[in-house]
Amino acid sequence: MQSHHNVQRLENGAVSQRDPLLGEDPTGLPDLAADQLFNGSTVASRFLRAELELNARLRTLSFGKPVRYTYNPLEYAWDTHRCYVEKYCQEGQSVLFLGMNPGPFGMAQTGVPFGEVKAVRGWLEITGTVGRPAEEHPKRRIVGLDCTQSEVSGARFWGFFQELCGETHNFFRHCFVHNLCPLIFMSESGKNLTPPELPAAERDALLSCCDSALCQVVTALGVSMVIGVGKLAEQRARRALAEAGITVRVEGIMHPSPRNPLANKGWANIVRDKLDNLGVVSLLTS
């Protein structure tokens, strides 16, 4: 059975956000606010526009086995995601941290990259309503900001920067955080599947869309460095940006996943050393 990413209506009855490219308002906002979103007058509006265009392209794709469920938090969690972008995506940021795709208890629940719920509600102070995908795995329900399960990767990632920076302003005046791919994939059993685990043709079509969107995002932000969180994101960013002729430094840090044995042996210290070598620690603590 194929998992078709063509969600029309959320389970709570709300219509999912549709891109203007498809002829419908993706935001549910009054006309004035929608106009402001799409006129490109701010970095945040250009960033959101690129994401909505990516949503439209991803909606044309479908995924067969081993994928059984596909969630897109940029649709059902657009409200909280937009809060995150409008609050923290700003002029003058020079570093983009890039993850691969959402985790089931992080961005899938909150709409925020590495979005462990306590960090999102606490340090980041994100608010908003989270809907639900049209079809959910019974073991992977979306409960939004009420999710009680912690995502280790997100807790480590945002916890590290909270400890390093203290205030969110000290981080976001220089840095922003984004995922290459907004989709989360699950097998029949509910196992999380990463994009490299998809069949080759489906993976290539997916990542081609995501690569193009990344180039748009990097151009809109005007960052000088992209730091992949994990080897996959680093390698994909390096390739996509080089092929597009976008001159930006691409580096990488270790992924904080508990599935990575090295990350369980002092991820924060390893990453601090790497970011220190890259000049990012001095940027964030000056």
Side-chain angles (χ1 to χ4, degrees):
M1 181 174 182
Q2 287 199 320
S3 172
H4 290 281
H5 184 58
N6 292 306
V7 178
Q8 300 288 339
R9 186 167 294 277
L10 303 179
E11 204 166 283
N12 64 3
V15 176
S16 70
Q17 298 80 13
R18 310 306 286 177
D19 190 279
L21 296 173
L22 302 185
E24 297 175 51
D25 175 20
T27 61
L29 298 171
D31 289 343
L32 177 61
D35 286 346
Q36 289 171 342
L37 175 57
F38 300 124
N39 67 11
S41 60
T42 66
V43 174
S45 67
R46 292 193 292 274
F47 184 93
L48 290 168
R49 175 70 197 183
E51 293 193 304
L52 290 168
E53 290 174 0
L54 174 60
N55 270 359
R57 289 193 290 271
L58 293 179
R59 240 176 254 122
T60 68
L61 305 179
S62 59
F63 303 93
K65 289 182 178 179
V67 175
R68 175 62 183 81
Y69 299 87
T70 305
Y71 296 3
N72 184 357
L74 295 192
E75 290 194 331
Y76 62 81
W78 176 259
D79 195 31
T80 47
H81 179 75
R82 185 166 175 263
C83 175
Y84 162 72
V85 173
E86 292 188 336
K87 195 177 179 86
Y88 294 121
C89 184
Q90 55 199 249
E91 301 280 352
Q93 291 169 326
S94 57
V95 178
L96 178 67
F97 285 93
L98 184 73
M100 190 66 196
N101 74 312
F105 303 107
M107 185 171 176
Q109 299 291 340
T110 64
V112 176
F114 294 95
E116 193 265 344
V117 176
K118 286 180 183 174
V120 168
R121 293 179 64 168
W123 195 51
L124 298 177
E125 297 183 328
I126 299 302
T127 58
T129 303
V130 177
R132 290 162 70 178
E135 190 179 17
E136 291 178 287
H137 191 285
K139 294 179 182 175
R140 294 288 182 265
R141 299 286 187 196
I142 297 302
V143 293
L145 298 180
D146 294 324
C147 180
T148 56
Q149 186 150 345
S150 176
E151 181 173 80
V152 175
S153 294
R156 283 176 176 167
F157 182 87
W158 289 116
F160 171 79
F161 287 110
Q162 181 176 6
E163 188 170 327
L164 181 67
C165 301
E167 299 296 324
T168 53
H169 167 76
N170 294 330
F171 178 76
F172 286 105
R173 65 181 172 165
H174 299 294
C175 304
F176 195 61
V177 184
H178 177 54
N179 272 335
L180 177 69
C181 172
L183 304 184
I184 177 169
F185 303 98
M186 280 161 279
S187 68
E188 186 74 51
S189 68
K191 178 180 180 286
N192 188 37
L193 300 168
T194 61
E197 294 173 279
L198 304 181
E202 295 177 5
R203 178 193 66 221
D204 292 347
L206 169 72
L207 292 178
S208 174
C209 293
C210 296
D211 288 350
S212 297
L214 175 65
C215 293
Q216 276 185 279
V217 159
V218 167
T219 302
L221 293 175
V223 295
S224 56
M225 187 189 301
V226 174
I227 300 178
V229 183
K231 280 289 178 196
L232 286 173
E234 177 189 354
Q235 290 166 355
R236 198 74 206 182
R238 181 171 284 116
R239 177 179 162 184
L241 295 166
E243 287 181 355
I246 296 172
T247 308
V248 60
R249 184 178 178 186
V250 179
E251 297 287 348
I253 59 172
M254 180 188 292
H255 198 285
S257 170
R259 290 193 287 180
N260 177 357
L262 284 175
N264 296 327
K265 297 177 181 176
W267 178 83
N269 290 334
I270 295 167
V271 167
R272 186 184 175 111
D273 286 347
K274 181 65 182 283
L275 294 179
D276 203 14
N277 290 337
L278 295 177
V280 175
V281 170
S282 61
L283 195 66
L284 296 179
T285 55
S286 60

